[in-house]
């Protein structure tokens, strides 16, 4: 906070900045974050009754999406639905149908595009890991 005072050329005191920050938080009702793919994964798995291992796989796949710039245009809900779909494939459990993807995301076709991109990503990671072990 002291750095903010310096950057602001000491136009405001530290107490004034803290008071203003509290006011902003009260006005925002302390809701300062956007939902992430992990948030949606929790909601989707509540529908499916997924276990902790399943949830970990889905979250791992969702995290992989952050490593590829091309995936940034997908909404977090889309990434989460696609990650859950792929986690079902990996664990060989009953796959959510296109109807469920449509319900979760609003667009089954775009969700399937996201599924394909995430599937490619996770296969690249597996291939790279095998190459590292081989070397």
């Amino acid at each position: 906070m002291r750095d903010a005072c310096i950057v602001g050329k000491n136009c405001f005191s530290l107490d004034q900045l803290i008071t203003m920050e509290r006011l902003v938080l009260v006005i925002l009702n302390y809701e300062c974050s956007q939902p992430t793919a992990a948030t949606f994964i929790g909601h989707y798995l509540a529908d499916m009754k997924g276990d902790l291992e399943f949830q970990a796989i889905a979250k791992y796949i969702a995290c992989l999406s952050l490593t590829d710039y091309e995936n940034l245009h997908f909404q977090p809900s889309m990434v989460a639905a696609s990650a859950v779909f792929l986690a079902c494939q990996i664990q060989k459990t009953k796959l959510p149908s296109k109807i469920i993807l449509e319900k979760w995301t609003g667009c089954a076709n775009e969700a399937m595009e996201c599924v394909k991109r995430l599937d490619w990503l996770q296969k690249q990671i597996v291939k790279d890991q095998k190459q590292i072990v081989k070397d």
Side-chain angles (χ1 to χ4, degrees), residues 7-78:
V7 170
K9 297 184 180 177
N10 292 319
C11 292
F12 302 101
S13 71
L14 182 58
D15 289 338
Q16 287 174 316
L17 281 175
I18 291 171
T19 301
M20 187 60 72
E21 187 174 79
R22 283 187 188 135
L23 177 62
V24 169
L25 288 171
V26 167
I27 289 171
L28 293 174
N29 198 25
Y30 290 86
E31 294 178 18
C32 304
S33 63
Q34 294 289 329
T36 64
T39 307
F40 288 101
I41 287 171
H43 292 296
Y44 298 156
L45 291 184
D47 281 352
M48 296 181 57
K49 314 258 186 301
D51 62 7
L52 289 176
E53 182 182 358
F54 186 86
Q55 185 174 4
I57 292 169
K59 285 185 177 180
Y60 174 76
I61 293 169
C63 286
L64 284 179
S65 74
L66 299 173
T67 65
D68 185 13
Y69 181 77
E70 294 296 317
N71 291 325
L72 294 179
H73 76 278
F74 293 117
Q75 295 290 324
S77 58
M78 184 78 62

Side-chain angles (χ1 to χ4, degrees), residues 54 80-90 95-98 101 104 112 115:
F54 186 86
S82 301
V84 168
F85 189 89
L86 283 173
C88 287
Q89 279 186 333
I90 290 168
L95 289 173
S97 67
K98 273 192 162 186
L101 285 176
W104 285 348
M112 290 311 294
V115 166

Side-chain angles (χ1 to χ4, degrees), residues 89-128:
Q89 279 186 333
I90 290 168
Q91 289 215 313
K92 296 177 178 43
T93 60
K94 184 181 176 200
L95 289 173
S97 67
K98 273 192 162 186
I99 294 168
I100 292 174
L101 285 176
E102 176 78 37
K103 174 187 160 195
W104 285 348
T105 65
C107 182
N109 291 335
E110 188 177 354
M112 290 311 294
E113 178 189 337
C114 187
V115 166
K116 288 175 188 173
R117 291 199 58 76
L118 292 180
D119 187 40
W120 178 83
L121 258 179
Q122 66 97 12
K123 285 178 180 172
Q124 289 300 115
I125 297 294
V126 169
K127 186 172 89 174
D128 290 346

